[in-house]
Amino acid sequence: MNVRAFFALRIPERITRKLADYADELCHFDRGLEAHWVDSSSYHLTLCFLGEVSLEQVEQLELRTREALEARRFSLRLDHIGYYAVNPSLSVVAAMTSEQQELTALHSSLVELAIQSGLVYDEANFLPHVTLARLPADNQFALDNDQLANLDLTFAADAVVLMQSRLGENGSIYTPLFEVELPAIAAN
């Protein structure tokens, strides 16, 4: 049996509420009413999409992640809304972060663990993000950055979660498969 899986960071409720308010403001840019707005209860920061994964590979991923992931907790700042082409047929409107060394290192570590677990990773242009809306790549969505309020949301990246994604009647349904806490940075 295979599952669709991805690594993610959970988002605290206080940030989720602010992102939901922000998504409400973005709705008026959806001129063709093509966007499928994500329910705020499903918000997470996608770190690394893995695609179809066998249950044996999930076990390998958990073992390797628990044993080999060297990332520490860090503060993550969502600082802008982006329009991001996920693949040739799908785009997303997403909360994103500017280049952040800790996030890039965590993403790279998870990709390496996935490859070591026997997965083929081919998302070369992937950017970690919080999906607010999904829409067809060929759409009429017009995001005017000059009309957007500044996004300045900071939260602790304190655990990595492997999530299963299943298509439900009203969008994707996410189920955590395992979670690995990131240790705090030791005080000097």
Side-chain angles (χ1 to χ4, degrees):
M1 179 179 158
N2 288 351
V3 296
R4 288 175 47 87
F6 61 93
F7 279 112
L9 295 174
R10 293 188 193 272
I11 299 176
E13 187 177 333
R14 65 181 172 78
I15 301 296
T16 297
R17 284 193 307 267
K18 290 178 182 177
L19 285 173
D21 291 343
Y22 208 82
D24 287 344
E25 292 178 30
L26 291 173
C27 286
H28 74 274
F29 292 105
D30 187 13
R31 297 190 177 112
L33 300 176
E34 300 168 296
H36 298 281
W37 295 93
V38 175
D39 187 274
S40 62
S41 65
S42 294
Y43 287 170
H44 57 270
L45 187 133
T46 305
L47 289 166
C48 173
F49 185 74
L50 303 175
E52 294 290 324
V53 179
S54 72
L55 295 180
E56 293 80 19
Q57 288 170 318
V58 169
E59 290 176 7
Q60 278 294 316
L61 282 167
E62 182 172 11
L63 179 67
R64 290 182 189 277
T65 303
R66 290 190 188 287
E67 290 179 352
L69 186 63
E70 296 180 359
R72 300 280 184 234
R73 291 179 188 197
F74 61 95
S75 185
L76 180 66
R77 181 173 172 252
L78 298 172
D79 59 9
H80 68 281
I81 296 295
Y83 178 80
Y84 173 54
V86 176
N87 61 47
S89 62
L90 177 68
S91 294
V92 296
V93 176
M96 303 176 82
T97 184
S98 297
E99 186 68 28
Q100 187 168 336
Q101 185 175 356
E102 297 95 343
L103 184 61
T104 301
L106 179 57
H107 167 77
S108 297
S109 295
L110 293 170
V111 168
E112 185 60 33
L113 291 171
I115 291 169
Q116 291 171 6
S117 298
L119 297 171
V120 176
Y121 187 80
D122 61 1
E123 301 280 332
N125 297 320
F126 181 84
L127 298 170
H129 62 278
V130 179
T131 301
L132 303 178
R134 291 179 186 83
L135 57 165
D138 180 22
N139 64 71
Q140 298 177 37
F141 194 87
L143 192 60
D144 183 351
N145 290 333
D146 293 336
Q147 295 177 344
L148 296 176
N150 289 335
L151 189 62
D152 186 11
L153 304 173
T154 302
F155 64 97
D158 57 5
V160 171
V161 184
L162 184 72
M163 301 286 265
Q164 176 184 356
S165 175
R166 291 179 290 122
L167 191 56
E169 191 175 302
N170 296 316
S172 297
I173 299 169
Y174 304 116
T175 306
L177 299 173
F178 68 81
E179 183 170 338
V180 176
E181 290 207 24
L182 301 177
I185 297 173
N188 292 333

